[in-house]
Amino acid sequence: MSVQRVPVLVVGGAYTGLTTALSLAARGVRPLLVERRPSASTLPKAWGLNTRSQELLNTLPGVARRIRSALGEAQWPRMSHGTSLADPGRRFLDPEDGQPDPQELSSVPPLAWISQAQVEEILRVSAEEAGADLRPGTELISLTQDDEKVTATLREVSSGREYLVEADYLVAADGNTSRVRDMLGIVVEGGGNIGHMYVVTFEADLTRYVKKGAVEVIGMPGSGSSFILDGSDRHTLWVDYFPERGETPEDFTEARCLERIRRAIGDPEIDVRFVNARFFPINHKLAERFREGRVFLAGDSAHACPPNGGQGGNLAIQDAYDLSWRLSLVLTGQAGPDLLDTYELERRPLVRITVEREVELAKISEGRVPASYNPADPNAPIPMPREYLGFRYHSPAVRTEADDDGSLQEDPWTPTGRPGGRAPHVVLTDGARELSTHDLFGRDFVVLAGREAPEWITAAEKVARDLGVGLAAHRIGDRFVDSGNVWCDRYGVEPTGAALIRPDAVVAWRGRRAVGDPEGELTAALTAILAR
């Protein structure tokens, strides 16, 4: 049997796997991705990229341009309750006036309303352009591992041909029923399967009831149904499904689905084209660990949650990005293998918060729509910028300061710049255009220094050469100007200070002011962060 050697084998070709493959390939590590399905799904599946996911994906080649094109004129989705789409008394759940503006937190939209199918196609094309080896119609049969490698048996689904692949590492991106996780014997916590839905996709012209291109999520209390209108003529109806009461997939015939669709629209005569009906399990799972030797769990293989807040896919993208930058640094010799331990240390506590919040949100929702929507209530179980922009990591890959309180979140509207948190967004100008500090982050580590700190720039250039690490350096006030004069305040440094930003736009370390040996400080910080 033939044997192929690859640096990383990715099992699964949806959000998690494709983001991992693209992120690795963009950093010079050519992965092999296998996906059992012969072709990608064109069904919408999930919607919406939050701010954090957009910022990360925009650092990968080809993605930002394609997402902008796919978004077109897509609007912020509105939520409402009513007896049907045609109900003139539908009640809209809009934030109250006076709430903080999430657009202040980033240069990207607070939400990119784009379907999972569209994002996956963008990731697939971009990953192929970057050099990833993508093999649809190929499944994992078995795996073994030792201290040096993972050995996997793969099979072409159409031909039955089997072959071996040896990989330095394997990423399990094979979903909430992960075979890889089961092969490793990793136990999951949580409530398991906590419900079921049937998702009915259809096409119809609904401009009699909503504006063309409307983006809405509509709940119909008491009906067991909710709508998602995604801005095109293809829409989805989410229907309660109770197999424990004897319901079966056979109950969801095309005729029955069309009747449910017309009832939910409130128009028994409207022309509707049935596209697809598929089962959707509602899960509450969190793997007890995200790593077993040289195998890592990411996305739904590591955790699964109800879809109500739309964060499951975002967690998958963020997992994939956070794991892939670490893998690339280890595989290119810039970091020691212990850096990989920090993936679970950082991600699992933050993932737990989101998963538990999504479970609570499902309890107060009608279908996909919460019974109430009050962003002013800090205890409301709805997606909050505090959760996905105000997160804080704690691990050896962060140089935590002596007075750190160990918190997992902070208010993103009043950032502190503490190590472990997302680097704050600050509007900069280079004389020709405006940009965000986040436009400077991505492939490598970045040093941002104050306007009175040229010595940090000199030190960064020397440290990069001496350690053989990708490290860019920018002095705020030199080429990039902080016209609002807020950079020092948001990053918690003086004009003589500096901050070290990781490839995932997380503050890894900061020097609040000038020091006698900036080169030594940076060397010590990077050596520890990279487990050298």
Side-chain angles (χ1 to χ4, degrees):
M1 190 179 294
S2 62
V3 181
Q4 179 183 0
R5 182 75 187 211
V6 298
V8 180
L9 173 61
V10 181
V11 180
Y15 264 166
T16 311
L18 289 169
T19 303
T20 303
L22 171 56
S23 185
L24 287 169
R27 292 179 166 85
V29 175
R30 187 171 189 254
L32 167 61
L33 179 151
V34 297
E35 163 58 47
R36 179 177 51 82
R37 296 173 302 174
S39 60
S41 171
T42 59
L43 297 172
K45 295 191 284 189
W47 289 263
L49 298 174
N50 66 26
T51 306
R52 174 68 174 164
S53 296
Q54 292 177 72
E55 289 177 343
L56 295 176
L57 290 178
N58 283 354
T59 69
L60 302 177
V63 174
R65 167 176 54 85
R66 291 185 169 108
I67 286 181
R68 283 195 301 269
S69 176
L71 278 172
E73 300 299 319
Q75 312 157 32
W76 179 274
R78 299 189 72 189
M79 292 185 291
S80 67
H81 285 294
T83 59
S84 69
L85 176 63
D87 179 2
R90 270 195 298 135
R91 178 173 61 91
F92 286 90
L93 306 177
D94 294 326
E96 298 177 4
D97 291 339
Q99 296 302 313
D101 183 1
Q103 187 62 72
E104 298 172 358
L105 303 177
S106 177
S107 62
V108 303
L111 180 69
W113 189 253
I114 181 172
S115 76
Q116 181 175 344
Q118 290 174 290
V119 176
E120 287 178 358
E121 177 61 13
I122 289 169
L123 294 173
R124 183 191 65 78
V125 172
S126 301
E128 288 180 333
E129 288 181 350
D133 183 356
L134 308 183
R135 298 184 191 175
T138 303
E139 61 182 342
L140 174 75
I141 302 302
S142 64
L143 69 88
T144 60
Q145 62 173 316
D146 55 32
D147 292 341
E148 302 297 325
K149 64 185 182 302
V150 179
T151 302
T153 302
L154 304 180
R155 179 169 62 200
E156 293 177 352
V157 175
S158 60
S159 68
R161 183 179 75 89
E162 295 186 3
Y163 57 98
L164 296 179
V165 167
E166 294 179 350
D168 293 294
Y169 298 99
L170 185 149
V171 176
D174 54 342
N176 104 88
T177 59
S178 172
R179 289 185 64 196
V180 174
R181 186 184 65 218
D182 291 345
M183 290 175 184
L184 298 173
I186 296 178
V187 176
V188 293
E189 304 171 359
N193 182 263
I194 59 175
H196 310 83
M197 298 287 289
Y198 241 84
V199 184
V200 183
T201 304
F202 67 97
E203 293 178 349
D205 179 0
L206 302 178
T207 52
R208 187 183 312 175
Y209 308 106
V210 294
K211 292 182 180 180
K212 186 175 179 59
V215 177
E216 294 190 24
V217 183
I218 305 160
M220 287 154 277
S223 72
S225 302
S226 58
F227 264 134
I228 293 182
L229 311 182
D230 67 359
S232 69
D233 286 336
R234 177 167 286 192
H235 316 287
T236 55
L237 180 70
W238 292 69
V239 181
D240 286 342
Y241 170 51
F242 301 101
E244 66 274 16
R245 300 179 187 175
E247 294 184 353
T248 68
E250 288 70 30
D251 294 329
F252 288 84
T253 63
E254 180 174 336
R256 183 186 178 193
C257 289
L258 289 173
E259 188 274 330
R260 291 289 297 262
I261 292 166
R262 291 190 174 102
R263 189 194 319 162
I265 294 172
D267 184 346
E269 305 299 328
I270 191 169
D271 183 33
V272 176
R273 188 179 81 83
F274 173 83
V275 175
N276 178 274
R278 62 206 185 276
F279 166 68
F280 188 95
I282 300 175
N283 293 295
H284 173 205
K285 297 179 180 179
L286 179 64
E288 66 175 5
R289 60 187 186 280
F290 289 6
R291 180 181 187 181
E292 179 68 27
R294 290 178 168 267
V295 181
F296 297 86
L297 306 185
D300 283 2
S301 71
H303 44 78
C305 59
N308 301 75
Q311 298 307 302
N314 287 286
L315 289 177
I317 288 169
Q318 293 156 27
D319 282 357
Y321 195 100
D322 279 9
L323 176 57
S324 57
W325 73 261
R326 290 171 166 86
L327 284 169
S328 67
L329 287 174
V330 171
L331 288 164
T332 57
Q334 298 179 68
D338 287 350
L339 175 65
L340 299 175
D341 291 334
T342 65
Y343 161 67
E344 177 182 330
L345 288 173
E346 293 183 356
R347 288 298 296 164
R348 196 171 184 277
L350 273 295
V351 165
R352 179 188 289 277
I353 291 173
T354 298
V355 168
E356 297 302 325
R357 195 261 305 129
E358 288 278 52
V359 171
E360 292 304 308
L361 178 60
K363 294 177 182 177
I364 65 163
S365 296
E366 294 275 1
R368 291 294 300 270
V369 186
S372 62
Y373 179 66
N374 183 12
D377 179 3
N379 298 314
I382 58 176
M384 292 283 193
R386 183 182 184 92
E387 182 178 321
Y388 51 84
L389 296 180
F391 66 88
R392 299 195 62 237
Y393 288 148
H394 302 278
S395 82
V398 171
R399 301 295 284 164
T400 304
E401 295 170 342
D403 60 352
D404 190 272
D405 61 4
S407 60
L408 292 176
Q409 293 181 352
E410 67 178 23
D411 182 356
W413 277 280
T414 55
T416 63
R418 291 181 295 174
R422 165 183 169 269
H425 159 66
V426 174
V427 177
L428 305 173
T429 179
D430 63 1
R433 63 188 175 113
E434 281 193 349
L435 67 158
S436 167
T437 43
H438 279 257
D439 294 320
L440 305 177
F441 310 144
R443 181 184 177 97
D444 297 320
F445 282 81
V446 174
V447 168
L448 297 182
R451 63 180 181 274
E452 299 173 16
E455 64 274 10
W456 287 112
I457 304 300
T458 303
E461 292 169 350
K462 188 171 189 309
V463 170
R465 290 192 302 269
D466 291 348
L467 294 183
V469 173
L471 176 65
H474 307 283
R475 185 159 63 94
I476 306 302
D478 186 9
R479 176 186 173 190
F480 300 110
V481 177
D482 165 27
S483 55
N485 199 31
V486 297
W487 181 80
C488 285
D489 180 59
R490 292 185 184 175
Y491 280 73
V493 299
E494 297 178 6
T496 58
L500 176 66
I501 315 301
R502 303 189 326 193
D504 58 349
V506 166
V507 179
W509 165 90
R510 68 179 174 184
R512 301 192 190 197
R513 58 189 62 84
V515 297
D517 181 15
E519 182 185 328
E521 291 280 348
L522 276 176
T523 298
L526 269 170
T527 300
I529 291 162
L530 294 174
R532 295 278 286 262

